[in-house]
C-alpha cells in the first residue's frame, strides 16, 4: 500500500464535553477520536459545565487537558458579557474568545446586544473573537462592531449563502474577518436532515442544496474547515428535545479526501484549510514531529462500529468514501495505527503561545 504523508489537521472547533458532560465525550475519548481522524490539534469550545468563563473554570479545564489529552489542544474562553475582568486576565492563555450570539447548546448565549460593545472594547487578544452568529442580524452586529474596533473576528460554522455574502463583502472592505465551514454543511442538505431526523439536527441547521453549492463555489474564500464535533448520546438524540450537534472528528478527512478525488479541491488547498490557515488565525504552534499517513485508494463505507468517539454514531454512516487514515504520528511516536489508539492520555501539549500561568497576573492591559 502506498500511503500519502500529510500534516495532521488542526480542528479549530470541537466540543469534548469535559467537564460536565463526560457521558457524551471526554478529553481522552474525544482526543482518541481526533487521532483516529487524522486530527493532531483541537481547539475546545467553552460551553461546558461549568462554562469556561473565569480563571477557576479555565484552570480546571487546562489541568484536565494537560493530564488527559492525547493530542495537542487550545482552549477558548467564553463570555456571557459579564466577565470582562476575566477577559483581560486570561486573553493570552486562550486560543480566542468565543461568543454565542444566537441560541444553541449550553447557556452561554448573550441575549442583550448592549453587552457586546464592551467586549469588543476590552478583549485583549491575541486570539480572535469567534462568534456563533447564525442569524443574519447577529452576524451583521458582529461585523459592524468589528468595523468600529480593532479586533479580529472569526465566524464559526457558516452555512447560509446570505451570510456568506455578508462575510465576503466585509472581507472585500478589508475587515479583519475569517470564517470556517463544517463538513456537515458541505456534504449534507435539508434533504439529508429529513432522512436523519434528530441525528441530522445541529446549529446552524442543514441548508438548502443552493446554500451547500454556495459554500463549494466560494471555497476559495473559506479560511478553514472545522468539524464543530458536538457529540450527544443516541438516547439524548432520540429523546423529546434532542440537543443540537453532531460528531465529526473521525469523518472529516475521509470526506474531504473523497472531495479531492471528485476534483472539488486539491490536496494543497485541503492542507491550507485544515492546517496552515488555523495556524495563521489562532495564536498557536503545531506539535513537532507530527504527521499522518493516509491510504488515498481505500474505498469503504463510514460506519458507527469503528468510531472512537464515546457517542458511538456518525450522521455519515454508510456513506462511501475514498481515503483512510492509516497511521497518525504525534510528537515522534505512533499515536494511531489501523483502528488502534496507541497514544497515552497526557501526551498532548497546549498549542497556545501564552505566558506561563503564574505570570498572567502581571499582564496589564489597558
Ligand atoms: C454545539 C454543541 O452541541 O455544543 N451544537 C451544535 O449544534 N453545533 C454548539 C454550537 O456549536 O453551536
Ligand atoms: Zn465602542
Ligand atoms: Zn455554534
Ligand atoms: Zn460548536
Amino acid at each position: 500500500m502506498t500511503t500519502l504523508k500529510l500534516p495532521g489537521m488542526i480542528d479549530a472547533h470541537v466540543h469534548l464535553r469535559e467537564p460536565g458532560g463526560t457521558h457524551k465525550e471526554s478529553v481522552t475519548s474525544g482526543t482518541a477520536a481526533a487521532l483516529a481522524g487524522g486530527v493532531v490539534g483541537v481547539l475546545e469550545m467553552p460551553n461546558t459545565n461549568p462554562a469556561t468563563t473565569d480563571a477557576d473554570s479555565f484552570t480546571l479545564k487546562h489541568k484536565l487537558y494537560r493530564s488527559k489529552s492525547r493530542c495537542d489542544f487550545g482552549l477558548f474562553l467564553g463570555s456571557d458579557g459579564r466577565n470582562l475582568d476575566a477577559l483581560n486576565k486570561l486573553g493570552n492563555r486562550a486560543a480566542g474568545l468565543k461568543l454565542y450570539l444566537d441560541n444553541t447548546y449550553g447557556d452561554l448565549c448573550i441575549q442583550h446586544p448592549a453587552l457586546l460593545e464592551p467586549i469588543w472594547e476590552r478583549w485583549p487578544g491575541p486570539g480572535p473573537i469567534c462568534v456563533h452568529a447564525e442569524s443574519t442580524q447577529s452576524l451583521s452586529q458582529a461585523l459592524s462592531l468589528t468595523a468600529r474596533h480593532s479586533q479580529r473576528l472569526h465566524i464559526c460554522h457558516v452555512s447560509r449563502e446570505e451570510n456568506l455574502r455578508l462575510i465576503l463583502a466585509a472581507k472585500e472592505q478589508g475587515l479583519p474577518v475569517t470564517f470556517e465551514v463544517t463538513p456537515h454543511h458541505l456534504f449534507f442538505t435539508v434533504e439529508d436532515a429529513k432522512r436523519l431526523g434528530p441525528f441530522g439536527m445541529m446549529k446552524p441547521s442543514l441548508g438548502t442544496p443552493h446554500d451547500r453549492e454556495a459554500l463549494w463555489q466560494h471555497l476559495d474564500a473559506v479560511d478553514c474547515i472545522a468539524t464543530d464535533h458536538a457529540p450527544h448520546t443516541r438516547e439524548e438524540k432520540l429523546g423529546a428535545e434532542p440537543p443540537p450537534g453532531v460528531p465529526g472528528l473521525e469523518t472529516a478527512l475521509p470526506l474531504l479526501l473523497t472531495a479531492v478525488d471528485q476534483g472539488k479541491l486539491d490536496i494543497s488547498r485541503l492542507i491550507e484549510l485544515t492546517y496552515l490557515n488555523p495556524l495563521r488565525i489562532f495564536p498557536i504552534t503545531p506539535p513537532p514531529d507530527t504527521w499522518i499517513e493516509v491510504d488515498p485508494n481505500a474505498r469503504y463505507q463510514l460506519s458507527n462500529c469503528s468510531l472512537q468517539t464515546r457517542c458511538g454514531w456518525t450522521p455519515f454512516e454508510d456513506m462511501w468514501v475514498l481515503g483512510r487514515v492509516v497511521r497518525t504520528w504525534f510528537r515522534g511516536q505512533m499515536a494511531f495505527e489501523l483502528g488502534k489508539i496507541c497514544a497515552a492520555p497526557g501526551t498532548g501539549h497546549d498549542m497556545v503561545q501564552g505566558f506561563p500561568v503564574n505570570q498572567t497576573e502581571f499582564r496589564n492591559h489597558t
Side-chain angles (χ1 to χ4, degrees):
M1 181 205 315
T2 6
T3 60
L4 183 65
K5 185 177 166 182
L6 298 172
M9 298 192 288
I10 305 289
D11 189 345
H13 189 150
V14 305
H15 303 266
L16 302 189
R17 307 304 191 200
E18 198 167 349
T22 52
H23 62 292
K24 300 173 194 277
E25 192 76 283
S26 67
V27 178
T28 45
S29 68
T31 55
L35 293 172
V39 174
V40 296
V42 292
L43 299 186
E44 158 72 7
M45 288 295 164
N47 64 334
T48 41
N49 189 6
T52 321
T53 50
D54 60 16
D56 284 351
S57 51
F58 194 94
T59 302
L60 167 71
K61 203 181 229 188
H62 196 263
K63 280 191 182 138
L64 283 169
Y65 274 76
R66 279 239 303 243
S67 61
K68 297 168 96 173
S69 188
R70 303 180 202 255
C71 68
D72 276 12
F73 62 90
L75 305 180
F76 282 104
L77 184 64
S79 179
D80 53 6
R82 302 173 200 282
N83 61 341
L84 295 178
D85 289 343
L87 306 192
N88 269 340
K89 207 166 141 189
L90 298 166
N92 67 79
R93 292 174 62 194
L97 176 68
K98 178 64 184 286
L99 304 176
Y100 295 90
L101 307 189
D102 298 297
N103 252 318
T104 182
Y105 183 70
D107 49 16
L108 268 182
C109 186
I110 300 187
Q111 304 286 358
H112 209 309
L115 292 170
L116 295 177
E117 179 107 22
I119 297 177
W120 258 259
E121 277 164 6
R122 298 271 296 271
W123 171 244
I129 297 179
C130 304
V131 289
H132 175 123
E134 57 177 291
S135 67
T136 300
Q137 189 194 351
S138 301
L139 177 59
S140 306
Q141 224 163 43
L143 289 170
S144 88
L145 282 161
T146 302
R148 285 186 282 117
H149 297 276
S150 54
Q151 291 289 2
R152 287 194 297 132
L153 179 68
H154 179 76
I155 298 146
C156 296
H157 45 47
V158 174
S159 68
R160 294 299 191 275
E161 180 178 28
E162 194 183 3
N163 287 356
L164 180 64
R165 299 231 173 261
L166 279 180
I167 296 165
L168 296 183
K171 279 183 174 242
E172 250 166 53
Q173 286 170 33
L175 285 193
V177 174
T178 55
F179 73 106
E180 71 193 29
V181 298
T182 70
H184 46 270
H185 294 116
L186 283 171
F187 289 90
F188 284 149
T189 66
V190 282
E191 293 305 313
D192 299 284
K194 282 181 206 156
R195 172 175 64 81
L196 291 164
F199 299 98
M201 283 176 54
M202 76 294 287
K203 299 274 191 170
S205 62
L206 294 172
T208 64
H210 193 80
D211 288 320
R212 177 176 66 178
E213 238 9 78
L215 297 180
W216 283 109
Q217 259 168 32
H218 295 279
L219 200 67
D220 57 334
V222 174
D223 295 285
C224 61
I225 293 177
T227 65
D228 192 8
H229 179 81
H232 297 286
T233 67
R234 285 170 205 269
E235 291 70 29
E236 289 164 337
K237 281 297 202 179
L238 293 168
E241 277 177 58
V246 295
L249 277 166
E250 291 165 88
T251 46
L253 191 57
L255 289 166
L256 292 171
L257 289 169
T258 306
V260 169
D261 177 63
Q262 294 166 348
K264 290 177 154 178
L265 75 166
D266 61 23
I267 283 281
S268 64
R269 185 66 184 133
L270 186 151
I271 294 171
E272 272 176 12
L273 288 167
T274 60
Y275 179 76
L276 294 173
N277 286 352
L279 295 175
R280 290 184 184 124
I281 298 168
F282 300 95
I284 56 176
T285 354
D289 302 318
T290 296
W291 66 91
I292 61 176
E293 289 175 51
V294 303
D295 175 0
N297 299 314
R299 195 180 289 279
Y300 60 103
Q301 282 174 289
L302 295 171
S303 162
N304 289 341
C305 303
S306 52
L307 299 173
Q308 299 288 335
T309 175
R310 186 162 292 166
C311 76
W313 60 275
T314 166
F316 297 102
E317 191 181 39
D318 291 340
M319 194 178 276
W320 283 95
V321 289
L322 183 67
R324 190 196 295 279
V325 179
V326 177
R327 277 177 213 94
T328 301
W329 294 86
F330 177 71
R331 293 185 168 273
Q333 308 251 336
M334 194 167 65
F336 170 83
E337 183 181 36
L338 300 167
K340 239 193 106 242
I341 296 292
C342 326
T347 41
H349 293 214
D350 190 348
M351 294 186 287
V352 176
Q353 307 144 353
F355 297 125
V357 177
N358 56 6
Q359 283 182 25
T360 56
E361 307 292 331
F362 300 111
R363 189 166 196 274
N364 228 339
H365 180 82
T366 42

